[in-house]
Amino acid sequence: VAVKDPTAVERANLLNMAKLSIKGLIESALSFGRTLDSDYPPLQQFFVVMEHCLKHGLKVRKSFLSYNKTIWGPLELVEKLYPEAEEIAASVRDLPGLNEFYEYHALMMEEEGAVIVGLLVGLNVIDANLCVKGEDLDSQVGVIDFSMYLKSDEDIGGKERNVQIAAILDQKNYVEELNRQLNSTVNSLHARVDSLEKSNTKLIEELAIAKNNIIKLQEENHQLRSENTLILMKTQHHLEVTKVDVEAELQTYKQSRQGLDEMYNEARRQLREESQLRQDMENELMVQVSMKHEIELAMKLLEKDIHEKQDTLIGLRQQLDEVKAINMEMYQKLQVTEDAMKEKNEIISRLEDKTNQINATMKQLEQSDKDLLTQTRTIAMSFIKCASNEAQHQYKLVKDISF
């Protein structure tokens, strides 16, 4: 019979113990149903088994005091080389530098190490709360308790009964807690139903009041719509009448404006003629200056006649003031009705008659001035030009106001 390699047997034993430890830990943790802590026995045995696996085939590190086997050297090296924990499980066999810490026949150097790493993935389903602060991690390796994994039929039956009793107690506690929550829920629902009934009664009353208000508002709305329709019809009729009146007034204003434009053009023509006459008179005045000394005697003789002419000019100025007043009255009456327009036409006719009278008077003065000296004629024409300028100014004011 071939003798097996002792190191291979050790590796197989450690692998089997790791399998049993991981399986037992997962099953007990799932049945326990709570977060595990460091005092949980299956978890402690798991760490003991994993420590034996990591120390298998570990080289002896020389020191000044004694030879010591430790696993913290390679683990620190692994952490430095590969900070990602996920890559450790996939590349344990290929990590550089493991030969420096393990013998060639060690568990971590063979296939069993990769298998154990794969088994450790299943521990992701366990919730554990561990605190390593103050723990002595350099103490002696613990002893594996095989009694946890070698169970008899009686132990298995007692364990099952304990599990069943624990499950029944958990169910009882759950039912009591559920009953307590249901009672509180029922009480809150009763209170809510009472409040909802009160709210419903209040809402029904408010709904009835709202319906009555809606009916009243509908009646008022109908009445307001009728009144609005009547007001709209009256407004439209009034607008049509106003539009007709405005069109008539606009037409009248256009006609009046046309007449005023004609009067303004005529006055402007007269102004040009009088301006030309003034220029001629100024030229003649320059000639007559040289004859001033010759006509001084004639001027003394004609002073009396000049005073009479001045009185006549004063009368003409008064008539021009009347013309200004008539023009202002005509402008004020432009905005009145058609009767006011007729009165304005009469005023304009009166103004034309007075203008004709003024022109006739001016002609008479010119006829009488022919016998006088050139100086008398010049003075009379200057006064006539002033009167024309005043008339032109009044016509211009009327024109601007009409615009």
Side-chain angles (χ1 to χ4, degrees):
V1 179
V3 179
K4 293 184 178 181
D5 186 5
T7 57
V9 175
E10 291 177 359
R11 291 196 301 270
N13 291 334
L14 290 173
L15 178 60
N16 292 327
M17 287 304 304
K19 290 180 180 179
L20 292 174
S21 176
I22 294 172
K23 181 179 179 183
L25 179 60
I26 293 173
E27 291 178 352
S28 61
L30 294 177
S31 62
F32 186 63
R34 296 178 181 85
T35 303
L36 306 181
D37 54 11
S38 59
D39 296 332
Y40 191 60
L43 185 60
Q44 292 178 352
Q45 289 299 313
F46 165 73
F47 287 133
V48 172
V49 173
M50 291 304 301
E51 191 170 3
H52 279 282
C53 293
L54 292 173
K55 280 195 171 185
H56 182 264
L58 189 65
K59 291 182 178 180
V60 178
R61 188 177 63 181
K62 295 181 180 180
S63 63
F64 294 101
L65 300 177
S66 60
Y67 295 98
N68 185 19
K69 291 185 177 181
T70 178
I71 61 172
W72 297 111
L75 290 180
E76 291 176 358
L77 181 61
V78 170
E79 184 178 1
K80 292 179 181 179
L81 295 175
Y82 291 93
E84 297 82 2
E86 295 179 358
E87 296 181 1
I88 295 176
S91 59
V92 171
R93 291 174 59 86
D94 300 330
L95 284 177
L98 287 180
N99 293 328
E100 182 181 353
F101 299 98
Y102 287 101
E103 301 290 346
Y104 68 93
H105 59 273
L107 176 67
M108 298 301 295
M109 300 295 295
E110 299 293 336
E111 296 180 355
E112 288 83 355
V115 175
I116 292 175
V117 172
L119 293 174
L120 294 176
V121 178
L123 297 177
N124 290 328
V125 299
I126 297 175
D127 292 331
N129 185 11
L130 303 176
C131 181
V132 297
K133 184 177 180 180
E135 295 291 337
D136 185 11
L137 301 179
D138 292 329
S139 60
Q140 188 67 27
V141 180
V143 180
I144 300 174
D145 186 6
F146 292 98
S147 63
M148 296 182 62
Y149 310 106
L150 302 176
K151 301 292 183 180
S152 61
D153 294 337
E154 294 180 357
D155 294 334
I156 294 172
K159 183 178 180 181
E160 291 178 354
R161 285 193 298 273
N162 293 331
V163 171
Q164 292 176 357
I165 291 171
I168 292 171
L169 292 175
D170 291 337
Q171 290 178 0
K172 181 184 177 220
N173 294 329
Y174 173 73
V175 170
E176 290 177 353
E177 182 65 24
L178 183 61
N179 188 19
R180 188 163 45 254
Q181 292 179 0
L182 289 175
N183 288 330
S184 62
T185 304
V186 169
N187 293 329
S188 63
L189 289 175
H190 281 305
R192 189 174 180 183
V193 167
D194 294 336
S195 63
L196 289 175
E197 287 179 352
K198 294 179 181 178
S199 300
N200 191 17
T201 304
K202 186 176 180 180
L203 289 174
I204 290 171
E205 294 175 355
E206 292 178 355
L207 180 61
I209 296 171
K211 286 182 178 179
N212 295 329
N213 292 331
I214 289 171
I215 293 171
K216 292 180 181 179
L217 290 174
Q218 288 177 352
E219 293 176 356
E220 292 178 359
N221 189 14
H222 180 69
Q223 184 178 1
L224 290 174
R225 285 184 179 179
S226 301
E227 293 177 358
N228 190 16
T229 304
L230 182 59
I231 292 170
L232 183 61
M233 293 175 64
K234 290 181 179 179
T235 304
Q236 289 178 352
H237 179 68
H238 181 68
L239 287 175
E240 291 176 357
V241 174
T242 305
K243 184 178 180 181
V244 173
D245 294 338
V246 169
E247 289 178 354
E249 291 179 359
L250 182 62
Q251 187 67 25
T252 304
Y253 170 73
K254 288 182 179 178
Q255 294 176 359
S256 300
R257 182 177 176 183
Q258 185 177 2
L260 291 174
D261 289 340
E262 293 175 357
M263 292 175 63
Y264 172 73
N265 293 329
E266 181 66 20
R268 189 174 183 181
R269 184 183 62 78
Q270 291 180 0
L271 177 62
R272 286 197 299 269
E273 293 176 356
E274 291 176 357
S275 297
Q276 184 64 34
L277 182 62
R278 178 184 177 183
Q279 185 67 32
D280 296 339
M281 294 302 292
E282 288 178 354
N283 294 331
E284 188 176 355
L285 179 62
M286 294 298 294
V287 175
Q288 294 298 327
V289 168
S290 62
M291 299 173 65
K292 179 178 179 182
H293 297 288
E294 297 177 359
I295 64 173
E296 287 180 354
L297 182 61
M299 287 294 294
K300 293 179 180 179
L301 297 175
L302 294 174
E303 285 180 356
K304 184 178 180 180
D305 188 68
I306 289 171
H307 288 298
E308 293 177 356
K309 300 298 182 182
Q310 288 179 351
D311 295 333
T312 305
L313 290 173
I314 291 170
L316 291 174
R317 288 182 179 178
Q318 292 177 354
Q319 290 179 358
L320 287 174
D321 293 332
E322 292 177 359
V323 170
K324 292 179 181 179
I326 292 170
N327 288 332
M328 293 300 295
E329 184 180 1
M330 181 184 66
Y331 168 71
Q332 292 176 356
K333 292 183 179 181
L334 281 175
Q335 298 179 354
V336 193
T337 59
E338 294 180 355
D339 295 335
M341 293 300 298
K342 292 179 181 181
E343 293 178 1
K344 290 179 184 179
N345 292 328
E346 292 176 359
I347 292 170
I348 293 171
S349 298
R350 228 177 359 176
L351 180 62
E352 291 177 354
D353 294 337
K354 288 187 177 183
T355 305
N356 293 328
Q357 291 177 3
I358 292 170
N359 292 328
T361 304
M362 295 297 291
K363 288 179 181 180
Q364 291 177 0
L365 291 173
E366 290 176 357
Q367 186 66 29
S368 63
D369 287 341
K370 288 180 181 180
D371 298 333
L372 298 176
L373 293 174
T374 305
Q375 183 68 27
T376 305
R377 183 180 177 184
T378 303
I379 294 171
M381 290 304 295
S382 64
F383 281 105
I384 291 171
K385 182 167 188 343
C386 292
S388 299
N389 288 332
E390 289 293 330
Q392 180 184 359
H393 180 66
Q394 293 298 323
Y395 284 124
K396 186 176 181 182
L397 289 176
V398 173
K399 177 69 174 178
D400 294 336
I401 294 171
S402 64
F403 280 119

